[in-house]
Amino acid sequence: MTTVKTLLGLPGLRLRPRAGTDLLDRPVTRIYVTELSDPGRYLSAGELVLSGLLWWHAPGDAEPFVAALARAGAAALAASGADSDGIPDDVVDACVRHRIPLLEVPADLSFSVITEQVVLALAAASDSARKRLQAAAEAPVETLLERAAAELGLPCWVLSGLGRLIAGTAPLPMPAGDVVRRHAAREPGPLTLVPVEGRHAVPWLIAVGGPLSTAQAELAEEVAGLVGVTRARGPRLEVSLPEEVCVVGLRTEGSDESRDVLSEWLPDALLLETAAETSYAATALRPSPAELSIVEPLLRAKRIVCGIGDPGPRDEAAQSARYAVEVAARRTGRVAVVPAGEVDVHELLLAGTPDGLRAALRRRVLGPLLAYDAEQHTDLVHTVRVFLECSGSPTRAAKELHVHVNTLRYRIGRAGELLGADLTEFTDQLDVYLALRAGD
């Protein structure tokens, strides 16, 4: 990393510090030459600003110039007083006030020489930084990030596309999920994000705590590549699970990303089985599905469907998760998550029934009623469903349908005749209700 102190050590420049001697460890990312009185719009963080002070005419002129450097996060000001009888006092005072290191350039030194030597120093530092990073290529992600933060002079983090903080060199200034959401929505933010290379369905991101110069951006890309190699190489540890587990089923409709998403979401789970769109894994703890909404915009899948089985022995938990996935698949929304414990028993039973059998059941039980509604332009099917969902109470159903209770009793009687069933008897009610729900 090239710092202000590094430049002071270049023998050909003979730079002399005039202010900010306690700030010489600031990293320098590039050099910018200007004679504008307010160069703020053209500045970026980490720049060494080189100026002949042609903009200075009287005391007070230094304030807007140096304030602009401070706002932009400039590394230092290197100034020549050749055309102003030395560096004016108010330039020195403004640099002290705004905490900008001030370096005096010898009057006989050409700016082209300074520019050339600074550029060479930055290039050499960048090359050395790459070599130092590559030397840590076999190290864990945490070590790699520490090296990267030292070279960039900025804190660094690795985030999962599910909003999980994998590693970092400092506290993250915002929730990891918010960082990923902004990235997915292409919204600007205080962090610079660089995608980690790899073919994983769930991406990783390198987050750097600030804007980057061209050289820093190239170095961050190098870090992303090395982290990608480390991720691909990382061994999967043996998983030890209790006798009772929670099984999670995940379906990525329209893509083959389910295994990657499940493995990234539940890194400590045991993968049980996987197909093109659906995978199942056993985990010791019941997972929180909120992360699935974070990663969904980053996937190719049309929808994410998730079923979380009831805790229990692995086989029972897996069967429960399979039924929960099928229930979730019939729900709406880009992300549908169904815990088995929140699903009625009849929904779980119907979820395990093939679609063809469900349709046949509906036709066999409700056929005459469906045909009558179609011919007479009525909706007895809806009346029967409301009646059964009101626990067979004529009073409650009539109120729900906004009809007189006698009208409701007549319609239920007529429906019972068409179905050949007694809709006041529990067994017949159950058969008809299951047939009604088979069409959901």
Side-chain angles (χ1 to χ4, degrees), residues 181-227:
R181 286 191 187 94
R182 287 188 176 188
H183 171 68
R186 302 182 184 277
E187 294 178 1
L191 304 178
T192 298
L193 302 178
V194 181
V196 171
E197 298 175 3
R199 298 183 178 180
H200 301 274
V202 180
W204 280 9
L205 300 170
I206 299 291
V208 185
L212 303 181
S213 67
T214 302
Q216 286 177 311
E218 291 174 355
L219 199 59
E221 293 282 355
E222 186 80 25
V223 175
L226 293 173
V227 170

CSV table of all heavy atoms in Angstrom, one decimal, residues 181-227:
chain,number,residue,atom,x,y,z
A,181,ARG,N,-29.8,-6.6,-0.6
A,181,ARG,CA,-31.0,-6.1,-1.2
A,181,ARG,C,-30.6,-4.9,-2.1
A,181,ARG,O,-31.1,-4.8,-3.2
A,181,ARG,CB,-32.0,-5.7,-0.2
A,181,ARG,CG,-32.7,-6.8,0.5
A,181,ARG,CD,-33.9,-6.3,1.4
A,181,ARG,NE,-34.5,-7.4,2.1
A,181,ARG,CZ,-34.2,-7.7,3.4
A,181,ARG,NH1,-33.3,-6.9,4.0
A,181,ARG,NH2,-34.7,-8.7,4.1
A,182,ARG,N,-29.8,-4.0,-1.6
A,182,ARG,CA,-29.4,-2.9,-2.4
A,182,ARG,C,-28.6,-3.3,-3.6
A,182,ARG,O,-28.8,-2.7,-4.7
A,182,ARG,CB,-28.5,-1.9,-1.5
A,182,ARG,CG,-29.2,-1.2,-0.5
A,182,ARG,CD,-28.3,-0.1,0.2
A,182,ARG,NE,-29.1,0.7,1.1
A,182,ARG,CZ,-28.6,1.8,1.7
A,182,ARG,NH1,-27.3,2.1,1.4
A,182,ARG,NH2,-29.3,2.5,2.6
A,183,HIS,N,-27.8,-4.3,-3.5
A,183,HIS,CA,-27.0,-4.9,-4.6
A,183,HIS,C,-28.0,-5.4,-5.6
A,183,HIS,O,-27.8,-5.2,-6.9
A,183,HIS,CB,-26.1,-6.0,-4.1
A,183,HIS,CG,-25.4,-6.7,-5.2
A,183,HIS,ND1,-24.5,-6.1,-6.1
A,183,HIS,CD2,-25.6,-8.0,-5.7
A,183,HIS,CE1,-24.1,-7.0,-7.0
A,183,HIS,NE2,-24.7,-8.1,-6.7
A,184,ALA,N,-29.0,-6.2,-5.2
A,184,ALA,CA,-29.9,-6.8,-6.1
A,184,ALA,C,-30.8,-5.7,-6.8
A,184,ALA,O,-31.1,-5.9,-8.0
A,184,ALA,CB,-30.9,-7.8,-5.4
A,185,ALA,N,-31.1,-4.6,-6.1
A,185,ALA,CA,-31.9,-3.6,-6.7
A,185,ALA,C,-31.0,-2.5,-7.4
A,185,ALA,O,-31.5,-1.5,-7.9
A,185,ALA,CB,-32.7,-2.9,-5.6
A,186,ARG,N,-29.7,-2.7,-7.4
A,186,ARG,CA,-28.7,-1.8,-8.0
A,186,ARG,C,-28.8,-0.4,-7.4
A,186,ARG,O,-28.7,0.6,-8.1
A,186,ARG,CB,-28.9,-1.7,-9.6
A,186,ARG,CG,-28.8,-3.1,-10.3
A,186,ARG,CD,-28.9,-2.9,-11.7
A,186,ARG,NE,-28.9,-4.2,-12.4
A,186,ARG,CZ,-27.7,-4.9,-12.7
A,186,ARG,NH1,-26.6,-4.3,-12.4
A,186,ARG,NH2,-27.8,-6.0,-13.3
A,187,GLU,N,-29.1,-0.4,-6.1
A,187,GLU,CA,-29.2,0.9,-5.4
A,187,GLU,C,-27.8,1.3,-4.9
A,187,GLU,O,-27.0,0.5,-4.4
A,187,GLU,CB,-30.1,0.8,-4.2
A,187,GLU,CG,-31.6,0.6,-4.6
A,187,GLU,CD,-32.5,0.5,-3.4
A,187,GLU,OE1,-32.0,0.6,-2.3
A,187,GLU,OE2,-33.7,0.3,-3.6
A,188,PRO,N,-27.4,2.6,-5.0
A,188,PRO,CA,-26.1,3.0,-4.5
A,188,PRO,C,-26.1,2.9,-2.9
A,188,PRO,O,-27.1,3.0,-2.3
A,188,PRO,CB,-26.0,4.4,-4.9
A,188,PRO,CG,-27.4,4.9,-5.1
A,188,PRO,CD,-28.2,3.7,-5.6
A,189,GLY,N,-24.9,2.8,-2.4
A,189,GLY,CA,-24.8,2.7,-0.9
A,189,GLY,C,-23.4,3.1,-0.5
A,189,GLY,O,-22.5,3.4,-1.4
A,190,PRO,N,-23.1,3.1,0.8
A,190,PRO,CA,-21.8,3.5,1.3
A,190,PRO,C,-20.7,2.5,1.0
A,190,PRO,O,-19.5,2.8,1.2
A,190,PRO,CB,-22.0,3.7,2.8
A,190,PRO,CG,-23.1,2.8,3.1
A,190,PRO,CD,-24.0,2.7,1.9
A,191,LEU,N,-21.0,1.3,0.7
A,191,LEU,CA,-20.0,0.2,0.4
A,191,LEU,C,-19.9,-0.1,-1.0
A,191,LEU,O,-20.8,0.1,-1.8
A,191,LEU,CB,-20.5,-1.1,1.1
A,191,LEU,CG,-20.8,-1.0,2.6
A,191,LEU,CD1,-21.2,-2.4,3.1
A,191,LEU,CD2,-19.6,-0.5,3.4
A,192,THR,N,-18.7,-0.4,-1.4
A,192,THR,CA,-18.4,-0.9,-2.8
A,192,THR,C,-18.5,-2.4,-2.8
A,192,THR,O,-17.9,-3.1,-2.0
A,192,THR,CB,-17.0,-0.4,-3.3
A,192,THR,OG1,-16.9,1.0,-3.3
A,192,THR,CG2,-16.7,-1.0,-4.7
A,193,LEU,N,-19.3,-2.9,-3.7
A,193,LEU,CA,-19.6,-4.4,-3.8
A,193,LEU,C,-18.9,-5.0,-5.0
A,193,LEU,O,-19.1,-4.4,-6.1
A,193,LEU,CB,-21.1,-4.6,-3.7
A,193,LEU,CG,-21.8,-4.1,-2.5
A,193,LEU,CD1,-23.3,-4.3,-2.6
A,193,LEU,CD2,-21.3,-4.7,-1.2
A,194,VAL,N,-18.3,-6.1,-4.8
A,194,VAL,CA,-17.6,-6.8,-5.9
A,194,VAL,C,-18.1,-8.2,-5.9
A,194,VAL,O,-17.8,-8.9,-4.9
A,194,VAL,CB,-16.1,-6.7,-5.8
A,194,VAL,CG1,-15.4,-7.4,-7.0
A,194,VAL,CG2,-15.6,-5.3,-5.8
A,195,PRO,N,-18.7,-8.8,-6.9
A,195,PRO,CA,-19.2,-10.2,-6.9
A,195,PRO,C,-18.0,-11.1,-6.8
A,195,PRO,O,-16.9,-10.9,-7.5
A,195,PRO,CB,-19.9,-10.3,-8.2
A,195,PRO,CG,-20.3,-8.9,-8.6
A,195,PRO,CD,-19.2,-8.1,-8.1
A,196,VAL,N,-18.1,-12.2,-6.1
A,196,VAL,CA,-17.1,-13.2,-6.0
A,196,VAL,C,-17.3,-14.2,-7.2
A,196,VAL,O,-18.4,-14.6,-7.5
A,196,VAL,CB,-17.2,-14.0,-4.7
A,196,VAL,CG1,-16.3,-15.2,-4.6
A,196,VAL,CG2,-16.9,-13.1,-3.5
A,197,GLU,N,-16.2,-14.5,-7.8
A,197,GLU,CA,-16.3,-15.4,-9.0
A,197,GLU,C,-16.7,-16.8,-8.6
A,197,GLU,O,-16.4,-17.2,-7.5
A,197,GLU,CB,-14.9,-15.4,-9.7
A,197,GLU,CG,-14.5,-14.1,-10.2
A,197,GLU,CD,-13.1,-14.1,-10.8
A,197,GLU,OE1,-12.5,-15.2,-10.9
A,197,GLU,OE2,-12.6,-13.0,-11.3
A,198,GLY,N,-17.4,-17.5,-9.4
A,198,GLY,CA,-17.8,-18.9,-9.2
A,198,GLY,C,-19.1,-19.2,-9.8
A,198,GLY,O,-19.8,-18.3,-10.3
A,199,ARG,N,-19.4,-20.5,-9.9
A,199,ARG,CA,-20.7,-20.9,-10.5
A,199,ARG,C,-21.8,-21.3,-9.5
A,199,ARG,O,-22.7,-22.0,-9.9
A,199,ARG,CB,-20.4,-22.1,-11.4
A,199,ARG,CG,-19.4,-21.8,-12.5
A,199,ARG,CD,-19.2,-23.0,-13.4
A,199,ARG,NE,-18.3,-22.7,-14.5
A,199,ARG,CZ,-17.9,-23.6,-15.5
A,199,ARG,NH1,-18.4,-24.8,-15.4
A,199,ARG,NH2,-17.1,-23.2,-16.4
A,200,HIS,N,-21.6,-20.8,-8.3
A,200,HIS,CA,-22.6,-21.1,-7.3
A,200,HIS,C,-23.9,-20.3,-7.6
A,200,HIS,O,-23.9,-19.2,-8.0
A,200,HIS,CB,-22.1,-20.8,-5.9
A,200,HIS,CG,-20.9,-21.5,-5.6
A,200,HIS,ND1,-20.9,-22.8,-5.0
A,200,HIS,CD2,-19.6,-21.2,-5.7
A,200,HIS,CE1,-19.6,-23.1,-4.8
A,200,HIS,NE2,-18.8,-22.2,-5.2
A,201,ALA,N,-25.1,-21.0,-7.3
A,201,ALA,CA,-26.3,-20.3,-7.5
A,201,ALA,C,-26.5,-19.1,-6.6
A,201,ALA,O,-27.0,-18.1,-7.0
A,201,ALA,CB,-27.5,-21.3,-7.3
A,202,VAL,N,-26.1,-19.3,-5.4
A,202,VAL,CA,-26.1,-18.2,-4.4
A,202,VAL,C,-24.8,-17.4,-4.4
A,202,VAL,O,-23.8,-18.0,-4.0
A,202,VAL,CB,-26.4,-18.7,-3.0
A,202,VAL,CG1,-26.5,-17.5,-2.0
A,202,VAL,CG2,-27.7,-19.5,-3.0
A,203,PRO,N,-24.7,-16.2,-4.9
A,203,PRO,CA,-23.5,-15.5,-5.0
A,203,PRO,C,-22.9,-15.1,-3.6
A,203,PRO,O,-23.7,-14.9,-2.7
A,203,PRO,CB,-23.8,-14.3,-5.9
A,203,PRO,CG,-25.2,-14.0,-5.6
A,203,PRO,CD,-25.9,-15.4,-5.4
A,204,TRP,N,-21.6,-14.9,-3.6
A,204,TRP,CA,-21.0,-14.2,-2.5
A,204,TRP,C,-20.6,-12.8,-3.0
A,204,TRP,O,-20.3,-12.6,-4.2
A,204,TRP,CB,-19.8,-14.9,-2.0
A,204,TRP,CG,-20.1,-16.1,-1.1
A,204,TRP,CD1,-21.3,-16.6,-0.8
A,204,TRP,CD2,-19.1,-16.9,-0.4
A,204,TRP,NE1,-21.2,-17.7,0.0
A,204,TRP,CE2,-19.9,-17.8,0.3
A,204,TRP,CE3,-17.7,-16.8,-0.2
A,204,TRP,CZ2,-19.2,-18.8,1.2
A,204,TRP,CZ3,-17.1,-17.7,0.6
A,204,TRP,CH2,-17.9,-18.7,1.3
A,205,LEU,N,-20.4,-11.9,-2.1
A,205,LEU,CA,-20.0,-10.5,-2.4
A,205,LEU,C,-18.9,-10.1,-1.5
A,205,LEU,O,-18.8,-10.4,-0.3
A,205,LEU,CB,-21.2,-9.5,-2.3
A,205,LEU,CG,-22.4,-9.7,-3.1
A,205,LEU,CD1,-23.5,-8.8,-2.6
A,205,LEU,CD2,-22.2,-9.5,-4.5
A,206,ILE,N,-17.9,-9.4,-2.1
A,206,ILE,CA,-16.9,-8.7,-1.4
A,206,ILE,C,-17.4,-7.2,-1.2
A,206,ILE,O,-17.8,-6.6,-2.1
A,206,ILE,CB,-15.6,-8.6,-2.1
A,206,ILE,CG1,-15.0,-10.0,-2.4
A,206,ILE,CG2,-14.6,-7.8,-1.3
A,206,ILE,CD1,-14.6,-10.7,-1.2
A,207,ALA,N,-17.5,-6.8,0.1
A,207,ALA,CA,-17.9,-5.5,0.4
A,207,ALA,C,-16.7,-4.7,1.0
A,207,ALA,O,-16.0,-5.2,1.8
A,207,ALA,CB,-19.1,-5.5,1.4
A,208,VAL,N,-16.5,-3.5,0.4
A,208,VAL,CA,-15.3,-2.7,0.9
A,208,VAL,C,-15.9,-1.4,1.4
A,208,VAL,O,-16.8,-0.8,0.8
A,208,VAL,CB,-14.3,-2.4,-0.3
A,208,VAL,CG1,-13.1,-1.7,0.2
A,208,VAL,CG2,-13.9,-3.7,-0.9
A,209,GLY,N,-15.4,-0.9,2.5
A,209,GLY,CA,-15.9,0.2,3.2
A,209,GLY,C,-15.6,1.6,2.7
A,209,GLY,O,-15.0,2.4,3.4
A,210,GLY,N,-15.9,1.8,1.4
A,210,GLY,CA,-15.7,3.1,0.8
A,210,GLY,C,-15.5,3.0,-0.7
A,210,GLY,O,-15.5,1.9,-1.3
A,211,PRO,N,-15.5,4.2,-1.4
A,211,PRO,CA,-15.3,4.2,-2.8
A,211,PRO,C,-13.8,3.7,-3.1
A,211,PRO,O,-12.9,3.9,-2.3
A,211,PRO,CB,-15.5,5.6,-3.2
A,211,PRO,CG,-15.3,6.4,-2.0
A,211,PRO,CD,-15.7,5.5,-0.8
A,212,LEU,N,-13.6,3.2,-4.3
A,212,LEU,CA,-12.3,2.7,-4.7
A,212,LEU,C,-11.8,3.4,-5.9
A,212,LEU,O,-12.5,3.8,-6.8
A,212,LEU,CB,-12.4,1.2,-5.0
A,212,LEU,CG,-13.0,0.3,-4.0
A,212,LEU,CD1,-13.0,-1.2,-4.4
A,212,LEU,CD2,-12.2,0.4,-2.7
A,213,SER,N,-10.5,3.6,-5.9
A,213,SER,CA,-9.8,4.1,-7.1
A,213,SER,C,-9.7,2.9,-8.1
A,213,SER,O,-10.0,1.8,-7.8
A,213,SER,CB,-8.4,4.6,-6.7
A,213,SER,OG,-7.6,3.5,-6.3
A,214,THR,N,-9.2,3.2,-9.3
A,214,THR,CA,-9.0,2.2,-10.3
A,214,THR,C,-8.1,1.1,-9.8
A,214,THR,O,-8.4,-0.1,-10.0
A,214,THR,CB,-8.4,2.8,-11.6
A,214,THR,OG1,-9.3,3.8,-12.1
A,214,THR,CG2,-8.3,1.7,-12.7
A,215,ALA,N,-7.0,1.5,-9.2
A,215,ALA,CA,-6.0,0.5,-8.7
A,215,ALA,C,-6.6,-0.3,-7.6
A,215,ALA,O,-6.5,-1.5,-7.5
A,215,ALA,CB,-4.7,1.2,-8.2
A,216,GLN,N,-7.4,0.3,-6.7
A,216,GLN,CA,-8.0,-0.4,-5.6
A,216,GLN,C,-9.1,-1.3,-6.1
A,216,GLN,O,-9.3,-2.5,-5.6
A,216,GLN,CB,-8.6,0.6,-4.6
A,216,GLN,CG,-7.6,1.3,-3.7
A,216,GLN,CD,-8.3,2.3,-2.8
A,216,GLN,OE1,-9.1,3.1,-3.2
A,216,GLN,NE2,-8.0,2.3,-1.5
A,217,ALA,N,-9.8,-0.9,-7.1
A,217,ALA,CA,-10.9,-1.7,-7.7
A,217,ALA,C,-10.3,-3.0,-8.3
A,217,ALA,O,-10.8,-4.1,-8.2
A,217,ALA,CB,-11.7,-1.0,-8.8
A,218,GLU,N,-9.1,-2.8,-9.0
A,218,GLU,CA,-8.4,-4.0,-9.6
A,218,GLU,C,-8.0,-5.0,-8.5
A,218,GLU,O,-8.1,-6.2,-8.6
A,218,GLU,CB,-7.2,-3.5,-10.4
A,218,GLU,CG,-7.6,-2.8,-11.7
A,218,GLU,CD,-6.4,-2.2,-12.4
A,218,GLU,OE1,-5.3,-2.4,-11.9
A,218,GLU,OE2,-6.6,-1.7,-13.5
A,219,LEU,N,-7.5,-4.4,-7.4
A,219,LEU,CA,-7.1,-5.2,-6.2
A,219,LEU,C,-8.3,-5.9,-5.6
A,219,LEU,O,-8.2,-7.1,-5.2
A,219,LEU,CB,-6.4,-4.4,-5.2
A,219,LEU,CG,-5.5,-5.1,-4.2
A,219,LEU,CD1,-4.4,-5.8,-4.9
A,219,LEU,CD2,-4.9,-4.1,-3.2
A,220,ALA,N,-9.4,-5.3,-5.5
A,220,ALA,CA,-10.6,-5.9,-5.0
A,220,ALA,C,-11.1,-7.0,-5.8
A,220,ALA,O,-11.6,-8.1,-5.4
A,220,ALA,CB,-11.7,-4.8,-4.8
A,221,GLU,N,-11.0,-6.9,-7.2
A,221,GLU,CA,-11.3,-8.0,-8.1
A,221,GLU,C,-10.4,-9.2,-7.8
A,221,GLU,O,-10.8,-10.3,-7.9
A,221,GLU,CB,-11.1,-7.5,-9.5
A,221,GLU,CG,-12.2,-6.4,-10.0
A,221,GLU,CD,-13.5,-7.0,-10.3
A,221,GLU,OE1,-13.6,-8.2,-10.3
A,221,GLU,OE2,-14.4,-6.2,-10.6
A,222,GLU,N,-9.1,-8.9,-7.6
A,222,GLU,CA,-8.2,-10.0,-7.3
A,222,GLU,C,-8.6,-10.7,-6.0
A,222,GLU,O,-8.6,-11.9,-5.9
A,222,GLU,CB,-6.8,-9.4,-7.1
A,222,GLU,CG,-5.7,-10.4,-6.9
A,222,GLU,CD,-5.2,-11.0,-8.2
A,222,GLU,OE1,-5.4,-10.4,-9.2
A,222,GLU,OE2,-4.7,-12.1,-8.1
A,223,VAL,N,-9.0,-9.9,-5.0
A,223,VAL,CA,-9.5,-10.6,-3.8
A,223,VAL,C,-10.7,-11.4,-4.0
A,223,VAL,O,-10.8,-12.5,-3.5
A,223,VAL,CB,-9.8,-9.5,-2.7
A,223,VAL,CG1,-10.4,-10.1,-1.5
A,223,VAL,CG2,-8.6,-8.7,-2.4
A,224,ALA,N,-11.6,-10.9,-4.8
A,224,ALA,CA,-12.9,-11.7,-5.1
A,224,ALA,C,-12.5,-13.0,-5.8
A,224,ALA,O,-13.1,-14.0,-5.5
A,224,ALA,CB,-13.8,-10.8,-6.0
A,225,GLY,N,-11.6,-12.9,-6.7
A,225,GLY,CA,-11.2,-14.2,-7.4
A,225,GLY,C,-10.6,-15.2,-6.4
A,225,GLY,O,-10.9,-16.4,-6.5
A,226,LEU,N,-9.7,-14.7,-5.5
A,226,LEU,CA,-9.1,-15.6,-4.5
A,226,LEU,C,-10.1,-16.2,-3.6
A,226,LEU,O,-10.1,-17.4,-3.2
A,226,LEU,CB,-8.0,-14.9,-3.8
A,226,LEU,CG,-6.8,-14.5,-4.6
A,226,LEU,CD1,-5.9,-13.6,-3.8
A,226,LEU,CD2,-6.1,-15.7,-5.1
A,227,VAL,N,-11.1,-15.4,-3.1
A,227,VAL,CA,-12.2,-15.9,-2.3
A,227,VAL,C,-13.0,-16.9,-3.0
A,227,VAL,O,-13.4,-17.9,-2.4
A,227,VAL,CB,-13.0,-14.7,-1.7
A,227,VAL,CG1,-14.3,-15.2,-1.0
A,227,VAL,CG2,-12.2,-13.8,-0.8
